[in-house]
């Protein structure tokens, strides 16, 4: 017997997380991205991280075909970016500052850190796919993390 969905969300919402935007490029080269808080580190040797992507998210099919993707860890002043990359929008990158990595991955300006990943494996789990990436590069930015807790955004005390 599974737990009631609302109770499950309430329970998981008591766990504070950071917020990332997963970015990659579509087959035609256009950038795509999606807000996620399911990011976690998985292994040190090799260096692996994971994100869980909803089967119903548009990003799911882009991630299925992507050999490379980037994890942009948001900075405390990037709540608007978190909202943008979670909402319906004809072009989520419209007006958003970003640059392309050497490998062509979209990297968001002002991120607290960026991990560049090569697809390692993926597992089906319920209505999500757990995508594992091997970290091939990265960069650290300035600032504090954007935090997410019980459906709201928070900043660490200065
Ligand atoms: C703070 C936050 C965290 C989220 N974490 C995830 C996540 O880990 N995995 C996921 O599939 N969706 C997550 N979402 C929801 C997606 O961002 C959103 O459903 C998706 O962008 C829907 O748009 P799409 O179907 O156009 O991709 C999160 C949303 C927010 C605001």
């Amino acid at each position: 017997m599974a737990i009631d969905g609302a109770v499950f969300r309430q329970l998981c919402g008591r766990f504070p997380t950071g917020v990332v935007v997963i970015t990659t490029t579509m087959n035609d080269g256009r950038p795509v991205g999606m807000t996620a808080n399911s990011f976690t580190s998985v292994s040190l040797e090799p260096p692996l991280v994971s994100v869980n992507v909803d089967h119903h998210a548009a990003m799911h099919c882009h991630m299925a075909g992507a050999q490379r993707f980037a994890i942009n860890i948001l900075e405390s002043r990037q709540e608007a970016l978190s909202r943008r990359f979670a909402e319906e929008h004809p072009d989520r990158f419209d007006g958003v500052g970003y640059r392309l990595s050497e490998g062509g991955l979209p990297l968001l300006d002002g991120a607290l850190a960026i991990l560049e990943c090569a697809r390692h494996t993926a597992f089906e789990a319920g209505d999500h796919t757990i995508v594992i990436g091997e970290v091939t590069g990265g960069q650290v930015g300035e600032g504090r993390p954007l935090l997410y807790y019980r459906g709201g955004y928070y900043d660490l005390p200065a």
Side-chain angles (χ1 to χ4, degrees):
M1 271 261 288
I3 194 172
D4 173 73
V7 177
F8 178 62
R9 277 193 288 278
Q10 215 181 19
L11 293 170
C12 293
R14 266 20 181 218
F15 185 63
T17 66
V19 183
V20 307
V21 173
I22 312 164
T23 54
T24 189
T25 44
M26 293 192 261
N27 290 338
D28 63 5
R30 278 184 297 151
V32 279
M34 186 191 86
T35 301
N37 66 343
S38 56
F39 166 78
T40 192
S41 60
V42 171
S43 158
L44 286 174
E45 189 52 53
L48 301 178
V49 296
S50 69
V51 282
N52 307 336
V53 181
D54 191 330
H55 290 171
H56 299 107
M59 190 69 178
H60 189 266
C61 66
H62 302 305
M63 287 298 279
Q67 287 313 306
R68 299 184 51 74
F69 58 90
I71 300 290
N72 300 262
I73 299 177
L74 297 188
E75 204 276 335
S76 59
R77 289 159 295 183
Q78 294 183 310
E79 179 180 331
L81 275 188
S82 174
R83 294 183 186 281
R84 164 64 71 89
F85 282 90
E87 72 186 2
E88 268 197 49
H89 194 281
D91 176 9
R92 287 175 173 169
F93 281 84
D94 184 26
V96 170
Y98 72 97
R99 60 203 181 279
L100 293 178
S101 70
E102 277 182 21
L105 289 174
L107 310 180
L108 299 182
D109 293 346
L112 185 60
I114 298 174
L115 297 88
E116 292 176 53
C117 304
R119 186 187 180 83
H120 181 269
T121 34
F123 303 94
E124 296 308 312
D127 57 8
H128 280 56
T129 301
I130 304 170
V131 181
I132 312 268
E134 177 158 0
V135 181
T136 55
Q139 42 203 280
V140 179
E142 294 292 322
R144 296 190 300 271
L146 178 64
L147 302 178
Y148 192 70
Y149 178 64
R150 294 182 68 180
Y153 293 92
Y154 297 88
D155 186 4
L156 285 176

